Amino acid sequence: MSSLTVALAALAATATLPGVSVAAPASRDVDPCAKIAGQEFVVPADAMACLTYFPFNATLRQNVLDVVSKVFDFYTFEDYYLEPVPEFQQPAVLIREELARINSTEYNSDYAFNKDLFDLTNSLNDGHTAWFPFCYWSAFQNILPAPVVSLSVNGTEDVYVVPDLADFVPLLGANYTAYYDAIGFDWTRLAGARVLEIEGLDAYAYADYVADTVTGNYLDHGVRVNSAFSSYRIADNVFSQRVGDIAGPLFPNQDNLTMTVVLANASVPETVVVPYLAAFLGSPFTDAASYWENNCAANNETNGVDNALPGGSRAVGGRKQPRAALHANLVTGANIPSQLIPTLQNVTGSEGVIKNYLLDDNQTAVMFVGSFSPDDYYAFQYDVADAIAAFQAAGATRLIIDLTNNGGGYVCLGEFLHQYLAGSNFGFPGYSTAIRANALAKQILAADITLDNTGEVCFYAPNNWAYTNDTIMPETDDYFVPEVNRTINGVLYSESQRFYDVCTPFNVSIPAEPPFDLSKVVIVSNGDCASTCAQFSTLMYERHNTTTAVFGGKPGEVMQFKGMAGEQVLEWTDIDSEIKTAGLKDDPLAPPDLLVYGDFRHNWRTAYSWRDEQTPIAYYSELPQYRFAYTPETYMSAQNLWTFAAQELFKDE
Ligand SMILES: *[C@@H]1O[C@H](CO)[C@@H](O)[C@H](O)[C@H]1NC(C)=O
Ligand SMILES: *[C@@H]1O[C@H](CO)[C@@H](O)[C@H](O)[C@H]1NC(C)=O
Ligand SMILES: *[C@@H]1O[C@H](CO)[C@@H](O)[C@H](O)[C@H]1NC(C)=O
Ligand SMILES: *[C@@H]1O[C@H](CO)[C@@H](O)[C@H](O)[C@H]1NC(C)=O
Ligand SMILES: *[C@@H]1O[C@H](CO)[C@@H](O)[C@H](O)[C@H]1NC(C)=O
Ligand SMILES: *[C@@H]1O[C@H](CO)[C@@H](O)[C@H](O)[C@H]1NC(C)=O
Ligand SMILES: *[C@@H]1O[C@H](CO)[C@@H](O)[C@H](O)[C@H]1NC(C)=O
Ligand SMILES: *[C@@H]1O[C@H](CO)[C@@H](O)[C@H](O)[C@H]1NC(C)=O
Ligand SMILES: *[C@@H]1O[C@H](CO)[C@@H](O)[C@H](O)[C@H]1NC(C)=O
Ligand SMILES: *[C@@H]1O[C@H](CO)[C@@H](O)[C@H](O)[C@H]1NC(C)=O
Ligand SMILES: *[C@@H]1O[C@H](CO)[C@@H](O)[C@H](O)[C@H]1NC(C)=O
Ligand SMILES: *[C@@H]1O[C@H](CO)[C@@H](O)[C@H](O)[C@H]1NC(C)=O
């Protein structure tokens, strides 16, 4: 570890940077929420006054910590946090000691308690496992009218304010820009400015700091640095520009950001204090009481249900679909400026999360897979089949798959895309997986077997899974018997027998042989490839040696091609429903219902690497074969990036 990293880690632990307001309870005489009711955008200090108005409540703390500590018993990666993981620059996190600290800390608001607990879970850097208090998290998103990126200009990498600023910021809305007009702040002059320092730190050091204190989600520090920057993505089925975690954090706890910049048309540095403005993303309210009622109090969808009862949720097709994705709530961008949308010949199958094109060379097909969480599970499969047929009809012989900012989704759609590219003759397209065998999990499975709970109503049911010979388990096979013991960081860890997902039959027929020579299939991304995306890209790498090129990041810093590589996430409602459906809600090991509106999700199932069957893919270091810096041409133009990638990655042909 460099001394800089140590210094920053110490800073993160003990201090707040200038510009970060320290939450203090507002005066009780005025209602600070009423003041901002109905506004689309609010000054961060006003948002914080509302959020910190609700007093600390010891009953709520006990309730939340009871849920959180009992759900942690199911967490597959808990013991990995006992020691640092140097390959990913992940420090140790002593989860149980931290929970005990939070249990005995005095807080001056309910916000302060929830923020401390959020920060603990966020420091795990596993977006599958975190406490999301919807009262506070992503209720107000702070947005700076100066998102930043790392660009190589004339061979030198530096941090810049996004060059497309003048086109992008107005897309955040007329009320957003009206605020800056009203206070006389001219953000337009910052377009393309070179950023030397942020908050008194070197600009890259500040990106490292945000990666370690704000971003979360991805175990690998290098991947998180890219999340701090602005980038292109598919959101709501269209091209979108993510503002990045420096310019778009999900708590409104910073009033402004001090940047030392060299303006695009200048040569002398100047220091600019850029004010944030917070976008309200929660449910409407008129005052503090209705803010609490509509955004903070538990509602009819907060907790799980007994799915076996009439009215419980029944899986279509007899089996619940496992999912692995970033939390859906992240609203961190706006549509991309229209001149940055590809103008290439588009190819069929592009209506949803996938966008398909043919490059001008007529040889290179591009499939931008923006997500594995489509509106329509079946349409995703038809889109892939239609696009590949069209690529082949056009004579394309090579394929670029873009996974930039793919937040994951259905586990089986990742396996589907892999199977489609590898051909059905390849055999099973996924991973061997296991579930943690804690005492309550074992009781749940035993009860499900006794109660005849099948995959239609619960995830623990054996008939959701297949043995590693790809035969579906009978409803009666207790796969925790015998449990499998391992030692992780000196601690005994018990889990189920290894088993496979059951994703077949797929809804389109799979070609027997690969539609493209697999040595001519390459992946490009920014490393922010989460969950099902991480599984898909790891499968392509581990099973086919697929070449991956990762763009961006901090120059000189190592970076994985994936992050957040669990196998299946259960939301709080999911695990609570599992417990209720098994009739075990009264068990002393079972968590109570949440009294507040929030989600404590966790990574419930592990995928093990094909290259090291004792190591989860999440903890197996796999680096991309190529790293490229973004340039002013490629950072927001996917078309330019693909054209560049085709030249670089197929240059031997
Ligand atoms: C920036 O934010 C800090 C912390 O809230 C505040 O003290 C300072 O006055 C702000 N600066 C400007 C120029 O608004
Ligand atoms: C701007 O905010 C006002 C409320 O303050 C709202 O009525 C209006 O719809 C907003 N404008 C846009 C374009 O969303
Ligand atoms: C704390 O929260 C509980 C549960 O919502 C509630 O019953 C109680 O009145 C609250 N206590 C205070 C002092 O507001
Ligand atoms: C928190 O502390 C209380 C005692 O004050 C204890 O009863 C409770 O079990 C603790 N909760 C957790 C989650 O550790
Ligand atoms: C990059 O090089 C070109 C040509 O030499 C020069 O005009 C331009 O000013 C340089 N840009 C920067 C940011 O150094
Ligand atoms: C820089 O100067 C050019 C030419 O005068 C002008 O068009 C452009 O808007 C300026 N850019 C900025 C960021 O001020
Ligand atoms: C919860 O209540 C809302 C509003 O009344 C309703 O729209 C929704 O369908 C309810 N959800 C469930 C699961 O009952
Ligand atoms: C494909 O291109 C056509 C013509 O430019 C455009 O109208 C259409 O919206 C594009 N379709 C998609 C899915 O991007
Ligand atoms: C690609 O195909 C189009 C349409 O068939 C044709 O006009 C164009 O010349 C081709 N380009 C190359 C590089 O062959
Ligand atoms: C698959 O494995 C299971 C468990 O070992 C075994 O019971 C079953 O007979 C096997 N099925 C086939 C078709 O080999
Ligand atoms: C695994 O460890 C548990 C707890 O020590 C023990 O009860 C169990 O017998 C062990 N199982 C196997 C298969 O070794
Ligand atoms: C991938 O590369 C590794 C190491 O070079 C080699 O052992 C393996 O056989 C290759 N696998 C495939 C499917 O080409």
Side-chain angles (χ1 to χ4, degrees), residues 496-527:
S496 67
Q497 299 285 304
R498 294 289 178 93
F499 58 79
Y500 283 178
D501 284 289
V502 179
C503 296
T504 51
F506 292 115
N507 306 92
V508 299
S509 60
I510 306 286
E513 292 297 327
F516 288 91
D517 175 349
L518 282 167
S519 70
K520 295 189 178 154
V521 177
V522 299
I523 293 174
V524 298
S525 89
N526 65 344

Side-chain angles (χ1 to χ4, degrees), residues 345 358-362:
Q345 179 189 341
L358 201 56
L359 294 192
D360 290 335
D361 63 12
N362 292 344

Side-chain angles (χ1 to χ4, degrees), residues 410-435:
Y410 293 105
V411 171
C412 284
L413 289 182
E415 295 191 17
F416 164 79
L417 184 57
H418 171 222
Q419 182 91 81
Y420 206 95
L421 295 168
S424 59
N425 289 346
F426 179 76
F428 174 68
Y431 283 104
S432 94
T433 75
I435 304 176

Side-chain angles (χ1 to χ4, degrees), residues 18 32 122 140 159 258 281 283 285 287 294 300 450 466 513 530 591 636:
N122 200 50
F140 293 90
V159 174
T258 301
L281 307 176
S283 297
F285 61 95
D287 55 14
N294 300 343
N300 62 346
T450 306
E513 292 297 327
M636 203 54 63

